Amino acid sequence: MVVLPFELERKIFEVAVLLHPECALQLVLVAHYIREWVEPEIYRVLRTGGGRVVPPIYKEDYEDEEYPRPPRELDVPGLQRCGPHVRHAMLQDCSWKEIVVVLQHCINVQNVAIWSPHDHSEALAQSAVAALEALPCLRKLSFEPLFFFPGNLPIPFDIPMFKNITHP
């Protein structure tokens, strides 16, 4: 039996997941240490909105497009597990409270898009601003300016929310 060097074995599994992400869920079943290598790739992208939420961050997931949807409850332990691995987050069709909780758990996110929040209010939007300001790795931010800055005022790019942004 040939034993591969540890670094080479890890590289093989990382490349396999990058080339065939649909196989990642099967690869995590191979061994515990392989799960530690592959799991971050599974949770790299978080998407909410219509259809299936990936990864599943709610306690219940609505497969059908039932409107109006009953209120969803975030799966906080699940967010604690997957949140640190998230690098890209598209948060759409969810409440400001959900957006804030997700951002608080996705501490390493680099790219955030926030579209169509449900319960718009200036106070809730400001709590999202505070959550965005606390993200040290955030580089790209996409959002509808009117949700954060009501009126036709120019966007104040000098506020702390934009301190690390390279692509607004």
Side-chain angles (χ1 to χ4, degrees), residues 2-167:
V2 177
V3 177
L4 296 174
F6 185 73
E7 295 81 14
L8 179 59
E9 185 178 7
R10 180 176 183 151
K11 195 63 167 174
I12 289 169
F13 279 96
E14 289 174 345
V15 169
V17 170
L18 288 174
L19 294 177
H20 303 284
E22 68 278 3
C23 298
L25 292 176
Q26 288 88 13
L27 291 176
V28 297
L29 302 175
V30 173
H32 181 70
Y33 66 96
I34 293 172
R35 179 185 180 134
E36 291 178 10
W37 300 339
V38 172
E39 200 168 40
E41 187 61 28
I42 293 172
Y43 300 130
R44 186 175 58 86
V45 177
L46 182 143
R47 182 186 62 79
T48 66
R52 199 171 126 235
V53 175
V54 180
I57 60 169
Y58 295 102
K59 289 187 178 178
E60 64 285 321
D61 196 9
Y62 302 111
E63 290 296 327
D64 58 345
E65 291 299 318
E66 164 187 335
Y67 286 98
R69 290 182 176 157
R72 300 177 291 188
E73 186 178 345
L74 285 170
D75 177 15
V76 175
L79 267 174
Q80 290 171 339
R81 189 180 83 250
C82 73
H85 303 299
V86 173
R87 297 297 178 265
H88 310 278
M90 178 156 184
L91 306 171
Q92 62 182 8
D93 296 327
C94 50
S95 72
W96 280 110
K97 291 178 185 178
E98 291 171 340
I99 291 170
V100 170
V101 171
V102 169
L103 292 175
Q104 289 171 340
H105 286 88
C106 298
I107 56 173
N108 297 312
V109 70
Q110 300 169 355
N111 181 4
V112 173
I114 300 173
W115 298 107
S116 307
H118 290 173
D119 50 355
H120 183 67
S121 78
E122 193 170 333
L124 291 171
Q126 291 311 309
S127 64
V129 168
L132 288 166
E133 289 174 351
L135 298 172
C137 301
L138 185 63
R139 297 294 180 265
K140 296 180 183 178
L141 179 61
S142 302
F143 62 91
E144 174 59 48
L146 292 177
F147 289 129
F148 289 97
F149 311 105
N152 290 329
L153 302 173
I155 298 173
F157 286 110
D158 59 340
I159 64 173
M161 180 171 102
F162 297 114
K163 69 180 178 210
N164 294 324
I165 300 295
T166 59
H167 295 79

